[in-house]
Amino acid sequence: MAKEQQPHWSDILKRRLANPKKDERSDEEKKAEETELFTKYYTEWKGGKDKDKSYKNIPRFYYRLPAEDEILLQKLREESRAVFLQRKSRELLDNEELQNLWFLLDKHQVPPVSGEEAMISYEAYLQVGERAGPKCKKFFTARVYAKLLHNDPYGRISIMQFFNYVMRKVWLHQTRIGLSLYDVAGQGYLRESDLENYILELIPTLPQLDGLEKSFYSFYVCTAVRKFFFFLDPLRTGKIKIQDILACSFLDDLLELRDEELSKESQESNWFSAPSALRVYGQYLNLDKDHNGMLSKEELSRYGTATLTSVFLDRVFQEYLTYDGEMDYKTYLDFVLALENRKEPAALQYIFKLLDMENQGYLNVFSLNYFFRAIQEQMKLHGQEPVSFQDVKDEIFDMVKPKDPYKITLQDLVNSCQGDTVTSILIDLNGFWTYENREVLVANDNDNMSAGR
């Protein structure tokens, strides 16, 4: 028996339209049916009622790191990351491709030259982009061109500036990949041991460090790593983001040591240079009179001009890590970085913590008086007439201009741009003397400059 054929939906619709029936349902009933039908058809469209609606359908966004005993999983993760980083590295322009790009740019320069700079128009820039290959495509955009467009009357950009921009981008990506290879956790940050390994393996590639004895390498690495962590890890978490390392200038300073003809002045001002590292370590050894590899408070009191107050030094040993009341080289490096960079927020944070004895988050008149009394006592010992605290207190508040006229916060010190002067007045007799005699010192400098002419 033949299966009875079902009427087509269009025929049913035509019949209903031909014999309309009056719908006596209320608006609420119609709306309820409409909602029911919508839910039914939407559910069918999404996969039917049988589809699993459990937590398994939630997209996964958390992947647990392998535990220490899951050696196979750890190895798999390391290998997959290495393959990924190698692929990323191959996407970067190599030296030959960079050279080819330079020739193309030079070939498409558009006269006249601007000063001594060869220029290129937007049309020529796009032509170079088409011929330079797929790796260069991301550099040849309207956005990049607009970034480099300055005051050229013909609307052109400098070829040298554009090429330097490309070189900088390539260097940043290369460096990021290089640092990522040391990111054991694969979470985008480096621990202290990771950065130590990176710098240790970098030393042989830096000609300016050729003269360093291998026995000094561990001290050099410690000296270099402390600068990164002092400034980039203010909360002392023990790790710093690779992104922050790339964004600061420290890596530039470190890699500047590749220059075989680096001037003496540049070496002296570069924390990472061999002379600078030897200077800091040499000072530490000179302070360590009992040669036990640690510094007592009495030994540290001879730091610099030996004019830091005993009250301030007491606070250093109370607040920062010591071993049986003595300071090791790593803690000493933090101390040096703070005192040598008093204008920097991280250094001010270090010193502010020492001045804020009760951990209130601000300095009041009592705090200032407590530290300045030690300066007054030192002045008496040197046969000087002590300066009135009231005058100094008023000058400090005038310099800082805090939001609250009775309290100075760390942010107030940073915002005032006078933090280095204020802290010097409170902790160092030599710093206070320099501030008190600033007008005489400026006059002497001007006289010396005039005599030099």
Side-chain angles (χ1 to χ4, degrees), residues 148-281:
L148 301 172
L149 185 61
H150 296 303
N151 299 319
D152 183 67
Y154 304 101
R156 302 166 304 168
I157 62 170
S158 159
I159 286 175
M160 182 57 77
Q161 282 185 10
F162 172 69
F163 189 70
N164 286 340
Y165 170 84
V166 174
M167 291 274 284
R168 178 72 180 165
K169 285 286 186 184
V170 171
W171 178 83
L172 273 172
H173 283 100
Q174 281 175 342
T175 310
R176 180 166 198 139
I177 290 167
L179 287 168
S180 297
L181 289 169
Y182 292 84
D183 174 13
V184 175
Q187 298 290 290
Y189 61 77
L190 297 184
R191 299 167 306 173
E192 209 160 328
S193 57
D194 300 331
L195 193 56
E196 284 171 356
N197 290 334
Y198 173 76
I199 292 176
L200 184 62
E201 292 184 28
L202 196 66
I203 290 175
T205 70
L206 305 173
Q208 284 294 336
L209 300 180
D210 283 348
L212 282 185
E213 295 287 335
K214 288 207 171 180
S215 58
F216 185 67
Y217 277 14
S218 60
F219 295 103
Y220 175 81
V221 168
C222 181
T223 307
V225 167
R226 279 326 297 160
K227 180 156 189 176
F228 283 94
F229 274 84
F230 181 82
F231 288 102
L232 302 181
D233 182 28
L235 299 178
R236 303 295 177 253
T237 61
K239 56 189 182 183
I240 45 181
K241 290 181 182 176
I242 290 175
Q243 191 175 338
D244 291 343
I245 296 174
L246 293 168
C248 75
S249 62
F250 302 157
L251 214 51
D252 287 336
D253 295 342
L254 182 59
L255 296 176
E256 187 181 47
L257 304 180
R258 287 175 176 168
D259 184 358
E260 294 183 25
E261 298 177 1
L262 195 63
S263 68
K264 189 179 178 184
E265 293 77 15
S266 296
Q267 287 187 52
E268 286 173 358
S269 63
N270 188 332
W271 174 266
F272 302 102
S273 71
S276 176
L278 290 165
R279 170 185 67 85
V280 175
Y281 187 62

Side-chain angles (χ1 to χ4, degrees), residues 7 54 112 122 126 140 145 147 160 171 236 281-282 308 314 316 382 398 411-412 424 451 453:
S54 71
Y122 187 58
L126 292 178
F140 288 87
Y145 191 88
K147 266 185 191 175
M160 182 57 77
W171 178 83
R236 303 295 177 253
Y281 187 62
L308 291 169
D314 283 339
V316 172
H382 287 80
D398 284 344
Q411 197 57 52
D412 290 329
S424 296
R453 287 172 191 163

